[in-house]
PDB file of all heavy atoms in Angstrom:
ATOM      1  N   GLU G   1     -35.774   2.144  20.510  1.00  0.00           N
ATOM      2  CA  GLU G   1     -34.703   1.245  20.044  1.00  0.00           C
ATOM      3  C   GLU G   1     -33.418   1.419  20.843  1.00  0.00           C
ATOM      4  O   GLU G   1     -32.327   1.547  20.289  1.00  0.00           O
ATOM      5  CB  GLU G   1     -34.452   1.452  18.554  1.00  0.00           C
ATOM      6  CG  GLU G   1     -35.661   1.102  17.703  1.00  0.00           C
ATOM      7  CD  GLU G   1     -35.418   1.238  16.216  1.00  0.00           C
ATOM      8  OE1 GLU G   1     -34.265   1.509  15.797  1.00  0.00           O
ATOM      9  OE2 GLU G   1     -36.390   1.067  15.474  1.00  0.00           O
ATOM     10  N   GLY G   2     -33.539   1.467  22.156  1.00  0.00           N
ATOM     11  CA  GLY G   2     -32.381   1.524  23.038  1.00  0.00           C
ATOM     12  C   GLY G   2     -31.867   2.916  23.350  1.00  0.00           C
ATOM     13  O   GLY G   2     -30.992   3.077  24.196  1.00  0.00           O
ATOM     14  N   THR G   3     -32.384   3.926  22.683  1.00  0.00           N
ATOM     15  CA  THR G   3     -31.965   5.294  22.942  1.00  0.00           C
ATOM     16  C   THR G   3     -32.967   5.959  23.882  1.00  0.00           C
ATOM     17  O   THR G   3     -34.167   5.994  23.594  1.00  0.00           O
ATOM     18  CB  THR G   3     -31.875   6.104  21.622  1.00  0.00           C
ATOM     19  OG1 THR G   3     -30.912   5.482  20.770  1.00  0.00           O
ATOM     20  CG2 THR G   3     -31.475   7.550  21.890  1.00  0.00           C
ATOM     21  N   MET G   4     -32.463   6.484  24.983  1.00  0.00           N
ATOM     22  CA  MET G   4     -33.328   7.145  25.949  1.00  0.00           C
ATOM     23  C   MET G   4     -33.811   8.477  25.390  1.00  0.00           C
ATOM     24  O   MET G   4     -33.017   9.314  24.989  1.00  0.00           O
ATOM     25  CB  MET G   4     -32.585   7.358  27.278  1.00  0.00           C
ATOM     26  CG  MET G   4     -33.477   7.848  28.400  1.00  0.00           C
ATOM     27  SD  MET G   4     -32.570   8.156  29.948  1.00  0.00           S
ATOM     28  CE  MET G   4     -31.980   6.517  30.352  1.00  0.00           C
ATOM     29  N   LEU G   5     -35.123   8.643  25.384  1.00  0.00           N
ATOM     30  CA  LEU G   5     -35.741   9.873  24.884  1.00  0.00           C
ATOM     31  C   LEU G   5     -36.180  10.802  26.003  1.00  0.00           C
ATOM     32  O   LEU G   5     -36.346  12.001  25.780  1.00  0.00           O
ATOM     33  CB  LEU G   5     -36.960   9.543  24.027  1.00  0.00           C
ATOM     34  CG  LEU G   5     -36.738   8.654  22.821  1.00  0.00           C
ATOM     35  CD1 LEU G   5     -38.051   8.394  22.121  1.00  0.00           C
ATOM     36  CD2 LEU G   5     -35.712   9.266  21.884  1.00  0.00           C
ATOM     37  N   GLY G   6     -36.410  10.231  27.181  1.00  0.00           N
ATOM     38  CA  GLY G   6     -36.882  11.066  28.270  1.00  0.00           C
ATOM     39  C   GLY G   6     -37.056  10.292  29.551  1.00  0.00           C
ATOM     40  O   GLY G   6     -36.908   9.060  29.575  1.00  0.00           O
ATOM     41  N   PHE G   7     -37.365  11.027  30.607  1.00  0.00           N
ATOM     42  CA  PHE G   7     -37.574  10.392  31.907  1.00  0.00           C
ATOM     43  C   PHE G   7     -38.654  11.117  32.687  1.00  0.00           C
ATOM     44  O   PHE G   7     -38.937  12.299  32.455  1.00  0.00           O
ATOM     45  CB  PHE G   7     -36.275  10.339  32.718  1.00  0.00           C
ATOM     46  CG  PHE G   7     -35.623  11.679  32.970  1.00  0.00           C
ATOM     47  CD1 PHE G   7     -36.078  12.516  33.978  1.00  0.00           C
ATOM     48  CD2 PHE G   7     -34.542  12.093  32.216  1.00  0.00           C
ATOM     49  CE1 PHE G   7     -35.475  13.739  34.232  1.00  0.00           C
ATOM     50  CE2 PHE G   7     -33.929  13.319  32.448  1.00  0.00           C
ATOM     51  CZ  PHE G   7     -34.405  14.144  33.461  1.00  0.00           C
ATOM     52  N   ALA G   8     -39.247  10.371  33.607  1.00  0.00           N
ATOM     53  CA  ALA G   8     -40.197  10.908  34.582  1.00  0.00           C
ATOM     54  C   ALA G   8     -39.754  10.414  35.948  1.00  0.00           C
ATOM     55  O   ALA G   8     -39.729   9.207  36.200  1.00  0.00           O
ATOM     56  CB  ALA G   8     -41.622  10.435  34.275  1.00  0.00           C
ATOM     57  N   LEU G   9     -39.364  11.342  36.814  1.00  0.00           N
ATOM     58  CA  LEU G   9     -38.930  10.998  38.166  1.00  0.00           C
ATOM     59  C   LEU G   9     -40.034  11.395  39.130  1.00  0.00           C
ATOM     60  O   LEU G   9     -40.523  12.533  39.088  1.00  0.00           O
ATOM     61  CB  LEU G   9     -37.629  11.722  38.523  1.00  0.00           C
ATOM     62  CG  LEU G   9     -36.467  11.523  37.546  1.00  0.00           C
ATOM     63  CD1 LEU G   9     -35.236  12.268  38.031  1.00  0.00           C
ATOM     64  CD2 LEU G   9     -36.171  10.052  37.333  1.00  0.00           C
ATOM     65  N   HIS G  10     -40.420  10.466  39.981  1.00  0.00           N
ATOM     66  CA  HIS G  10     -41.570  10.705  40.849  1.00  0.00           C
ATOM     67  C   HIS G  10     -41.374  10.024  42.186  1.00  0.00           C
ATOM     68  O   HIS G  10     -40.555   9.116  42.329  1.00  0.00           O
ATOM     69  CB  HIS G  10     -42.850  10.191  40.177  1.00  0.00           C
ATOM     70  CG  HIS G  10     -42.795   8.733  39.855  1.00  0.00           C
ATOM     71  ND1 HIS G  10     -43.259   7.763  40.711  1.00  0.00           N
ATOM     72  CD2 HIS G  10     -42.294   8.075  38.783  1.00  0.00           C
ATOM     73  CE1 HIS G  10     -43.055   6.572  40.171  1.00  0.00           C
ATOM     74  NE2 HIS G  10     -42.474   6.735  39.003  1.00  0.00           N
ATOM     75  N   HIS G  11     -42.133  10.470  43.180  1.00  0.00           N
ATOM     76  CA  HIS G  11     -42.128   9.824  44.488  1.00  0.00           C
ATOM     77  C   HIS G  11     -43.475  10.039  45.154  1.00  0.00           C
ATOM     78  O   HIS G  11     -44.274  10.889  44.735  1.00  0.00           O
ATOM     79  CB  HIS G  11     -40.971  10.305  45.372  1.00  0.00           C
ATOM     80  CG  HIS G  11     -40.875  11.784  45.528  1.00  0.00           C
ATOM     81  ND1 HIS G  11     -41.577  12.481  46.483  1.00  0.00           N
ATOM     82  CD2 HIS G  11     -40.158  12.704  44.849  1.00  0.00           C
ATOM     83  CE1 HIS G  11     -41.279  13.758  46.398  1.00  0.00           C
ATOM     84  NE2 HIS G  11     -40.433  13.933  45.408  1.00  0.00           N
ATOM     85  N   THR G  12     -43.730   9.275  46.184  1.00  0.00           N
ATOM     86  CA  THR G  12     -45.003   9.368  46.884  1.00  0.00           C
ATOM     87  C   THR G  12     -44.798   9.963  48.272  1.00  0.00           C
ATOM     88  O   THR G  12     -43.693   9.946  48.809  1.00  0.00           O
ATOM     89  CB  THR G  12     -45.669   7.983  47.026  1.00  0.00           C
ATOM     90  OG1 THR G  12     -44.793   7.137  47.775  1.00  0.00           O
ATOM     91  CG2 THR G  12     -45.938   7.367  45.667  1.00  0.00           C
ATOM     92  N   HIS G  13     -45.882  10.474  48.815  1.00  0.00           N
ATOM     93  CA  HIS G  13     -45.862  10.966  50.183  1.00  0.00           C
ATOM     94  C   HIS G  13     -47.284  10.952  50.730  1.00  0.00           C
ATOM     95  O   HIS G  13     -48.258  10.897  49.980  1.00  0.00           O
ATOM     96  CB  HIS G  13     -45.260  12.370  50.264  1.00  0.00           C
ATOM     97  CG  HIS G  13     -46.026  13.410  49.512  1.00  0.00           C
ATOM     98  ND1 HIS G  13     -47.113  14.069  50.047  1.00  0.00           N
ATOM     99  CD2 HIS G  13     -45.878  13.899  48.264  1.00  0.00           C
ATOM    100  CE1 HIS G  13     -47.588  14.921  49.170  1.00  0.00           C
ATOM    101  NE2 HIS G  13     -46.862  14.836  48.064  1.00  0.00           N
ATOM    102  N   LEU G  14     -47.374  10.996  52.049  1.00  0.00           N
ATOM    103  CA  LEU G  14     -48.668  11.052  52.705  1.00  0.00           C
ATOM    104  C   LEU G  14     -49.218  12.470  52.627  1.00  0.00           C
ATOM    105  O   LEU G  14     -48.479  13.428  52.413  1.00  0.00           O
ATOM    106  CB  LEU G  14     -48.534  10.612  54.156  1.00  0.00           C
ATOM    107  CG  LEU G  14     -48.018   9.183  54.358  1.00  0.00           C
ATOM    108  CD1 LEU G  14     -47.858   8.885  55.837  1.00  0.00           C
ATOM    109  CD2 LEU G  14     -48.931   8.175  53.693  1.00  0.00           C
ATOM    110  N   SER G  15     -50.516  12.599  52.822  1.00  0.00           N
ATOM    111  CA  SER G  15     -51.174  13.884  52.754  1.00  0.00           C
ATOM    112  C   SER G  15     -52.161  14.021  53.914  1.00  0.00           C
ATOM    113  O   SER G  15     -52.703  13.024  54.390  1.00  0.00           O
ATOM    114  CB  SER G  15     -51.942  14.008  51.433  1.00  0.00           C
ATOM    115  OG  SER G  15     -52.752  15.161  51.421  1.00  0.00           O
ATOM    116  N   THR G  16     -52.398  15.236  54.322  1.00  0.00           N
ATOM    117  CA  THR G  16     -53.426  15.491  55.333  1.00  0.00           C
ATOM    118  C   THR G  16     -54.794  15.707  54.693  1.00  0.00           C
ATOM    119  O   THR G  16     -55.792  15.834  55.398  1.00  0.00           O
ATOM    120  CB  THR G  16     -53.077  16.737  56.169  1.00  0.00           C
ATOM    121  OG1 THR G  16     -52.978  17.865  55.287  1.00  0.00           O
ATOM    122  CG2 THR G  16     -51.771  16.523  56.918  1.00  0.00           C
ATOM    123  N   TRP G  17     -54.879  15.718  53.373  1.00  0.00           N
ATOM    124  CA  TRP G  17     -56.110  16.015  52.655  1.00  0.00           C
ATOM    125  C   TRP G  17     -56.809  14.792  52.093  1.00  0.00           C
ATOM    126  O   TRP G  17     -57.985  14.870  51.693  1.00  0.00           O
ATOM    127  CB  TRP G  17     -55.825  16.997  51.516  1.00  0.00           C
ATOM    128  CG  TRP G  17     -55.418  18.334  52.059  1.00  0.00           C
ATOM    129  CD1 TRP G  17     -54.151  18.712  52.440  1.00  0.00           C
ATOM    130  CD2 TRP G  17     -56.258  19.447  52.324  1.00  0.00           C
ATOM    131  NE1 TRP G  17     -54.153  20.002  52.905  1.00  0.00           N
ATOM    132  CE2 TRP G  17     -55.456  20.475  52.836  1.00  0.00           C
ATOM    133  CE3 TRP G  17     -57.619  19.680  52.158  1.00  0.00           C
ATOM    134  CZ2 TRP G  17     -55.962  21.712  53.203  1.00  0.00           C
ATOM    135  CZ3 TRP G  17     -58.122  20.925  52.510  1.00  0.00           C
ATOM    136  CH2 TRP G  17     -57.303  21.915  53.023  1.00  0.00           C
ATOM    137  N   VAL G  18     -56.104  13.686  51.992  1.00  0.00           N
ATOM    138  CA  VAL G  18     -56.672  12.428  51.486  1.00  0.00           C
ATOM    139  C   VAL G  18     -56.065  11.284  52.269  1.00  0.00           C
ATOM    140  O   VAL G  18     -54.995  11.423  52.874  1.00  0.00           O
ATOM    141  CB  VAL G  18     -56.415  12.241  49.968  1.00  0.00           C
ATOM    142  CG1 VAL G  18     -57.188  13.260  49.147  1.00  0.00           C
ATOM    143  CG2 VAL G  18     -54.933  12.312  49.654  1.00  0.00           C
ATOM    144  N   SER G  19     -56.722  10.141  52.263  1.00  0.00           N
ATOM    145  CA  SER G  19     -56.203   9.020  53.056  1.00  0.00           C
ATOM    146  C   SER G  19     -55.160   8.188  52.301  1.00  0.00           C
ATOM    147  O   SER G  19     -54.316   7.564  52.927  1.00  0.00           O
ATOM    148  CB  SER G  19     -57.351   8.121  53.519  1.00  0.00           C
ATOM    149  OG  SER G  19     -58.090   7.654  52.415  1.00  0.00           O
ATOM    150  N   ALA G  20     -55.219   8.148  50.989  1.00  0.00           N
ATOM    151  CA  ALA G  20     -54.227   7.400  50.209  1.00  0.00           C
ATOM    152  C   ALA G  20     -53.036   8.316  49.902  1.00  0.00           C
ATOM    153  O   ALA G  20     -53.163   9.544  49.936  1.00  0.00           O
ATOM    154  CB  ALA G  20     -54.859   6.893  48.915  1.00  0.00           C
ATOM    155  N   PRO G  21     -51.873   7.744  49.592  1.00  0.00           N
ATOM    156  CA  PRO G  21     -50.709   8.573  49.265  1.00  0.00           C
ATOM    157  C   PRO G  21     -50.918   9.400  47.999  1.00  0.00           C
ATOM    158  O   PRO G  21     -51.692   9.037  47.122  1.00  0.00           O
ATOM    159  CB  PRO G  21     -49.588   7.557  49.047  1.00  0.00           C
ATOM    160  CG  PRO G  21     -50.042   6.314  49.711  1.00  0.00           C
ATOM    161  CD  PRO G  21     -51.538   6.317  49.617  1.00  0.00           C
ATOM    162  N   ASP G  22     -50.196  10.493  47.925  1.00  0.00           N
ATOM    163  CA  ASP G  22     -50.106  11.310  46.719  1.00  0.00           C
ATOM    164  C   ASP G  22     -48.835  10.922  45.973  1.00  0.00           C
ATOM    165  O   ASP G  22     -47.851  10.501  46.582  1.00  0.00           O
ATOM    166  CB  ASP G  22     -49.997  12.795  47.062  1.00  0.00           C
ATOM    167  CG  ASP G  22     -51.327  13.446  47.370  1.00  0.00           C
ATOM    168  OD1 ASP G  22     -52.370  12.887  47.001  1.00  0.00           O
ATOM    169  OD2 ASP G  22     -51.316  14.530  47.990  1.00  0.00           O
ATOM    170  N   CYS G  23     -48.846  11.135  44.670  1.00  0.00           N
ATOM    171  CA  CYS G  23     -47.650  10.944  43.855  1.00  0.00           C
ATOM    172  C   CYS G  23     -47.247  12.297  43.290  1.00  0.00           C
ATOM    173  O   CYS G  23     -48.073  13.015  42.714  1.00  0.00           O
ATOM    174  CB  CYS G  23     -47.921   9.955  42.722  1.00  0.00           C
ATOM    175  SG  CYS G  23     -46.443   9.620  41.722  1.00  0.00           S
ATOM    176  N   TYR G  24     -45.992  12.642  43.477  1.00  0.00           N
ATOM    177  CA  TYR G  24     -45.454  13.903  42.979  1.00  0.00           C
ATOM    178  C   TYR G  24     -44.506  13.621  41.820  1.00  0.00           C
ATOM    179  O   TYR G  24     -43.514  12.913  41.981  1.00  0.00           O
ATOM    180  CB  TYR G  24     -44.717  14.639  44.101  1.00  0.00           C
ATOM    181  CG  TYR G  24     -44.046  15.908  43.639  1.00  0.00           C
ATOM    182  CD1 TYR G  24     -44.769  16.913  43.003  1.00  0.00           C
ATOM    183  CD2 TYR G  24     -42.692  16.108  43.834  1.00  0.00           C
ATOM    184  CE1 TYR G  24     -44.152  18.077  42.573  1.00  0.00           C
ATOM    185  CE2 TYR G  24     -42.068  17.277  43.420  1.00  0.00           C
ATOM    186  CZ  TYR G  24     -42.809  18.252  42.786  1.00  0.00           C
ATOM    187  OH  TYR G  24     -42.210  19.403  42.356  1.00  0.00           O
ATOM    188  N   LEU G  25     -44.833  14.141  40.653  1.00  0.00           N
ATOM    189  CA  LEU G  25     -43.943  14.077  39.496  1.00  0.00           C
ATOM    190  C   LEU G  25     -42.959  15.222  39.645  1.00  0.00           C
ATOM    191  O   LEU G  25     -43.296  16.388  39.447  1.00  0.00           O
ATOM    192  CB  LEU G  25     -44.750  14.208  38.197  1.00  0.00           C
ATOM    193  CG  LEU G  25     -43.939  14.374  36.916  1.00  0.00           C
ATOM    194  CD1 LEU G  25     -43.015  13.191  36.681  1.00  0.00           C
ATOM    195  CD2 LEU G  25     -44.885  14.587  35.737  1.00  0.00           C
ATOM    196  N   GLU G  26     -41.741  14.889  40.032  1.00  0.00           N
ATOM    197  CA  GLU G  26     -40.769  15.938  40.310  1.00  0.00           C
ATOM    198  C   GLU G  26     -40.063  16.424  39.051  1.00  0.00           C
ATOM    199  O   GLU G  26     -39.819  17.620  38.899  1.00  0.00           O
ATOM    200  CB  GLU G  26     -39.722  15.453  41.334  1.00  0.00           C
ATOM    201  CG  GLU G  26     -38.805  16.560  41.754  1.00  0.00           C
ATOM    202  CD  GLU G  26     -38.155  16.334  43.098  1.00  0.00           C
ATOM    203  OE1 GLU G  26     -38.484  15.359  43.791  1.00  0.00           O
ATOM    204  OE2 GLU G  26     -37.314  17.160  43.460  1.00  0.00           O
ATOM    205  N   ASP G  27     -39.727  15.511  38.165  1.00  0.00           N
ATOM    206  CA  ASP G  27     -38.981  15.886  36.967  1.00  0.00           C
ATOM    207  C   ASP G  27     -39.507  15.104  35.769  1.00  0.00           C
ATOM    208  O   ASP G  27     -39.574  13.867  35.810  1.00  0.00           O
ATOM    209  CB  ASP G  27     -37.492  15.561  37.126  1.00  0.00           C
ATOM    210  CG  ASP G  27     -36.870  16.225  38.334  1.00  0.00           C
ATOM    211  OD1 ASP G  27     -36.904  17.464  38.403  1.00  0.00           O
ATOM    212  OD2 ASP G  27     -36.354  15.505  39.205  1.00  0.00           O
ATOM    213  N   LEU G  28     -39.850  15.805  34.708  1.00  0.00           N
ATOM    214  CA  LEU G  28     -40.184  15.199  33.423  1.00  0.00           C
ATOM    215  C   LEU G  28     -39.351  15.917  32.387  1.00  0.00           C
ATOM    216  O   LEU G  28     -39.374  17.154  32.324  1.00  0.00           O
ATOM    217  CB  LEU G  28     -41.674  15.356  33.103  1.00  0.00           C
ATOM    218  CG  LEU G  28     -42.108  14.809  31.738  1.00  0.00           C
ATOM    219  CD1 LEU G  28     -42.123  13.289  31.760  1.00  0.00           C
ATOM    220  CD2 LEU G  28     -43.484  15.320  31.359  1.00  0.00           C
ATOM    221  N   PHE G  29     -38.609  15.151  31.588  1.00  0.00           N
ATOM    222  CA  PHE G  29     -37.745  15.771  30.580  1.00  0.00           C
ATOM    223  C   PHE G  29     -37.680  14.886  29.358  1.00  0.00           C
ATOM    224  O   PHE G  29     -37.665  13.654  29.460  1.00  0.00           O
ATOM    225  CB  PHE G  29     -36.335  15.991  31.130  1.00  0.00           C
ATOM    226  CG  PHE G  29     -35.425  16.674  30.141  1.00  0.00           C
ATOM    227  CD1 PHE G  29     -35.551  18.034  29.893  1.00  0.00           C
ATOM    228  CD2 PHE G  29     -34.469  15.956  29.451  1.00  0.00           C
ATOM    229  CE1 PHE G  29     -34.731  18.664  28.970  1.00  0.00           C
ATOM    230  CE2 PHE G  29     -33.632  16.577  28.528  1.00  0.00           C
ATOM    231  CZ  PHE G  29     -33.764  17.933  28.290  1.00  0.00           C
ATOM    232  N   LEU G  30     -37.625  15.541  28.195  1.00  0.00           N
ATOM    233  CA  LEU G  30     -37.498  14.853  26.912  1.00  0.00           C
ATOM    234  C   LEU G  30     -36.396  15.500  26.096  1.00  0.00           C
ATOM    235  O   LEU G  30     -36.169  16.706  26.193  1.00  0.00           O
ATOM    236  CB  LEU G  30     -38.806  14.965  26.113  1.00  0.00           C
ATOM    237  CG  LEU G  30     -40.050  14.437  26.785  1.00  0.00           C
ATOM    238  CD1 LEU G  30     -41.281  14.891  26.036  1.00  0.00           C
ATOM    239  CD2 LEU G  30     -39.995  12.930  26.871  1.00  0.00           C
ATOM    240  N   THR G  31     -35.754  14.704  25.251  1.00  0.00           N
ATOM    241  CA  THR G  31     -34.797  15.267  24.308  1.00  0.00           C
ATOM    242  C   THR G  31     -35.547  16.193  23.355  1.00  0.00           C
ATOM    243  O   THR G  31     -36.762  16.072  23.170  1.00  0.00           O
ATOM    244  CB  THR G  31     -34.108  14.162  23.489  1.00  0.00           C
ATOM    245  OG1 THR G  31     -35.096  13.462  22.724  1.00  0.00           O
ATOM    246  CG2 THR G  31     -33.327  13.201  24.371  1.00  0.00           C
ATOM    247  N   ASP G  32     -34.823  17.107  22.727  1.00  0.00           N
ATOM    248  CA  ASP G  32     -35.454  18.021  21.769  1.00  0.00           C
ATOM    249  C   ASP G  32     -36.228  17.257  20.702  1.00  0.00           C
ATOM    250  O   ASP G  32     -37.347  17.618  20.349  1.00  0.00           O
ATOM    251  CB  ASP G  32     -34.407  18.912  21.093  1.00  0.00           C
ATOM    252  CG  ASP G  32     -33.924  20.040  21.984  1.00  0.00           C
ATOM    253  OD1 ASP G  32     -34.652  20.420  22.925  1.00  0.00           O
ATOM    254  OD2 ASP G  32     -32.811  20.545  21.733  1.00  0.00           O
ATOM    255  N   GLY G  33     -35.622  16.199  20.177  1.00  0.00           N
ATOM    256  CA  GLY G  33     -36.252  15.436  19.102  1.00  0.00           C
ATOM    257  C   GLY G  33     -37.501  14.690  19.517  1.00  0.00           C
ATOM    258  O   GLY G  33     -38.350  14.365  18.675  1.00  0.00           O
ATOM    259  N   ALA G  34     -37.645  14.408  20.804  1.00  0.00           N
ATOM    260  CA  ALA G  34     -38.805  13.654  21.291  1.00  0.00           C
ATOM    261  C   ALA G  34     -39.977  14.562  21.651  1.00  0.00           C
ATOM    262  O   ALA G  34     -41.104  14.088  21.779  1.00  0.00           O
ATOM    263  CB  ALA G  34     -38.411  12.809  22.501  1.00  0.00           C
ATOM    264  N   ARG G  35     -39.714  15.849  21.784  1.00  0.00           N
ATOM    265  CA  ARG G  35     -40.791  16.774  22.163  1.00  0.00           C
ATOM    266  C   ARG G  35     -41.809  16.897  21.038  1.00  0.00           C
ATOM    267  O   ARG G  35     -41.454  17.057  19.880  1.00  0.00           O
ATOM    268  CB  ARG G  35     -40.220  18.139  22.519  1.00  0.00           C
ATOM    269  CG  ARG G  35     -39.392  18.073  23.774  1.00  0.00           C
ATOM    270  CD  ARG G  35     -38.932  19.434  24.235  1.00  0.00           C
ATOM    271  NE  ARG G  35     -38.016  19.229  25.349  1.00  0.00           N
ATOM    272  CZ  ARG G  35     -36.837  19.787  25.461  1.00  0.00           C
ATOM    273  NH1 ARG G  35     -36.416  20.633  24.549  1.00  0.00           N
ATOM    274  NH2 ARG G  35     -36.065  19.518  26.497  1.00  0.00           N
ATOM    275  N   GLY G  36     -43.060  16.789  21.407  1.00  0.00           N
ATOM    276  CA  GLY G  36     -44.139  16.903  20.433  1.00  0.00           C
ATOM    277  C   GLY G  36     -44.391  15.644  19.635  1.00  0.00           C
ATOM    278  O   GLY G  36     -45.255  15.625  18.761  1.00  0.00           O
ATOM    279  N   ALA G  37     -43.658  14.565  19.941  1.00  0.00           N
ATOM    280  CA  ALA G  37     -43.788  13.321  19.173  1.00  0.00           C
ATOM    281  C   ALA G  37     -44.475  12.210  19.964  1.00  0.00           C
ATOM    282  O   ALA G  37     -44.498  11.073  19.519  1.00  0.00           O
ATOM    283  CB  ALA G  37     -42.408  12.852  18.696  1.00  0.00           C
TER     284      ALA G  37
END
C-alpha cells in the first residue's frame, strides 16, 4: 500500500563458465516488520 518494505539490487555480467550472462544479487534488504512475512 505504497510503503516500501524492501529492495533487491542486482546486475548482470559475463562469465567464462557459461555462455549466457550471470545475474548477481548484490543487496537484498527488508524492514524488520517485513522479515518472515
Side-chain angles (χ1 to χ4, degrees):
E1 297 183 6
T3 299
M4 189 182 297
L5 302 178
F7 58 80
L9 306 181
H10 59 93
H11 53 86
T12 60
H13 62 85
L14 300 177
S15 171
T16 60
W17 293 85
V18 292
S19 57
D22 279 342
C23 183
Y24 176 56
L25 171 60
E26 186 157 354
D27 303 301
L28 177 73
F29 182 75
L30 303 167
T31 62
D32 283 337
R35 293 186 187 131

